[in-house]
Amino acid sequence: MPRKRPSAHSDAQFAAFVDRIKNTLHSDEGARFEEVLRKLILKDNGQGRPAGPPAMRDGRPVSPPNVPSSATMLPKPPDFAAIEKAARDTAADRQNLMTLIGQLVFSWSNNESLLIYVMMLLLRTDERSAAVVFSTLNTTRARLDLVRRLSLLHLHDPAARAEIDKTIELFNDANRIRNEFMHAMYLVNEQGQITHTQMLRFIEKKGRVSFGDRQPLDGKRMRTLVEVDDTLRQLNRQLWGLLPRLQAAMASSSPG
């Protein structure tokens, strides 16, 4: 059964109750009874001790012992002047990373925009209507899912459907790398070198939860960036080659 909520009493009622009990006890027992009772009531109310004015130092409140203030929990600000001075020697490495990430953004956007024409053909509609569908589905996964389902529904040419599936597979592989670099925080050391990426999301794996998967920006990771940029360039050419073949396949497929 749920516990009943205790009724509230005024200080005067509480004092009268304590005096009534104290009168039945010896003086020492009465004083001890009052002390213990007050501690129990204060503890039940979530108070460690009677309320009183906060401790002050130099006219400002002082935090209780063992309770860190919000200021002590903040990270120490970087020494911007020292980092900027040291960063001059690592500018080439940063420029190389920024160029690769910029190429990733450029290639990805151009490739994904070609899905508008894929949708236009599969939906048998015009470019503007396909663009509305594309922009309404605001994630890559949703857009690729639509293309795959439309191809299953309307595309009867096995070779054209296989090419659609291969295109979707390349998009998904590149999208994983894209997300690693486009949705991450970048860690910089005292020399101005970008050393790690850190994903700002929760990860649940085998019943364990972690936040901020951190990966080093080492030689292996840089080679991955170069490889995905090459993949996206190849994908762009593949998409342009797919469009006329998809158009022909849809023309030979009866609507419905």
Side-chain angles (χ1 to χ4, degrees):
M1 294 178 62
R3 295 179 59 187
K4 293 183 178 179
R5 185 176 180 180
S7 58
H9 298 284
S10 67
D11 291 342
Q13 290 173 318
F14 176 72
F17 167 75
V18 172
D19 288 341
R20 189 178 302 116
I21 299 297
K22 283 171 61 179
N23 290 336
T24 66
L25 303 171
H26 296 294
S27 59
D28 292 342
E29 293 175 340
R32 177 61 180 163
F33 167 78
E34 182 178 3
E35 179 184 358
V36 171
L37 184 60
R38 288 186 181 277
K39 286 183 178 180
L40 287 173
I41 292 175
L42 290 172
K43 181 178 181 181
D44 188 60
N45 288 338
Q47 303 175 29
R49 55 179 179 273
M56 305 291 287
R57 181 182 299 161
D58 298 329
R60 292 177 296 179
V62 178
S63 299
N66 301 323
V67 179
S69 66
S70 59
T72 63
M73 298 167 65
L74 293 175
K76 183 180 178 181
D79 187 343
F80 293 106
I83 292 176
E84 288 173 357
K85 182 177 180 181
R88 297 167 188 166
D89 297 328
T90 59
D93 291 338
R94 285 194 311 281
Q95 184 62 44
N96 185 36
L97 174 63
M98 298 301 179
T99 299
L100 291 172
I101 293 176
Q103 182 64 46
L104 173 61
V105 174
F106 172 82
S107 298
W108 180 268
S109 297
N110 282 359
N111 285 347
E112 193 173 24
S113 68
L114 289 175
L115 292 178
I116 293 175
Y117 299 105
V118 175
M119 292 178 185
M120 179 185 74
L121 295 173
L122 290 172
L123 289 168
R124 291 188 169 93
T125 187
D126 58 274
E127 181 181 345
R128 295 181 66 187
S129 298
V132 169
V133 174
F134 176 91
S135 60
T136 301
L137 301 172
N138 57 5
T139 66
T140 299
R141 176 178 294 181
R143 291 162 181 165
L144 293 176
D145 281 347
L146 177 64
V147 168
R148 182 181 61 83
R149 293 169 184 176
L150 288 173
S151 69
L152 291 173
L153 188 63
H154 299 308
L155 194 57
H156 306 304
D157 184 334
R161 185 181 292 177
E163 195 168 357
I164 288 283
D165 291 341
K166 179 62 176 177
T167 300
I168 292 173
E169 181 182 348
L170 290 174
F171 259 111
N172 284 328
D173 290 344
N175 193 37
R176 179 179 58 82
I177 305 300
R178 170 185 173 268
N179 286 338
E180 288 183 7
F181 287 93
M182 298 308 298
H183 301 292
M185 178 178 68
Y186 290 81
L187 278 63
V188 180
N189 65 12
E190 292 81 1
Q191 287 73 45
Q193 295 171 309
I194 302 174
T195 60
H196 293 77
T197 59
Q198 183 165 332
M199 296 295 290
L200 299 180
R201 61 185 176 90
F202 282 99
I203 299 173
E204 185 176 352
K205 188 176 182 181
K206 296 181 179 179
R208 301 180 64 182
V209 176
S210 61
F211 177 74
D213 181 36
R214 182 179 297 187
Q215 296 189 52
L217 272 172
D218 51 15
K220 180 180 178 181
R221 199 89 181 285
M222 295 294 286
R223 287 192 295 273
T224 299
L225 255 181
V226 172
E227 290 169 1
V228 77
D229 282 344
D230 289 340
T231 298
L232 289 174
R233 279 193 291 270
Q234 295 168 13
L235 179 58
N236 187 263
R237 288 157 176 75
Q238 181 173 323
L239 282 165
W240 280 110
L242 168 66
L243 291 175
R245 290 192 291 272
L246 178 60
Q247 185 178 40
M250 290 297 295
S252 64
S253 300
S254 60

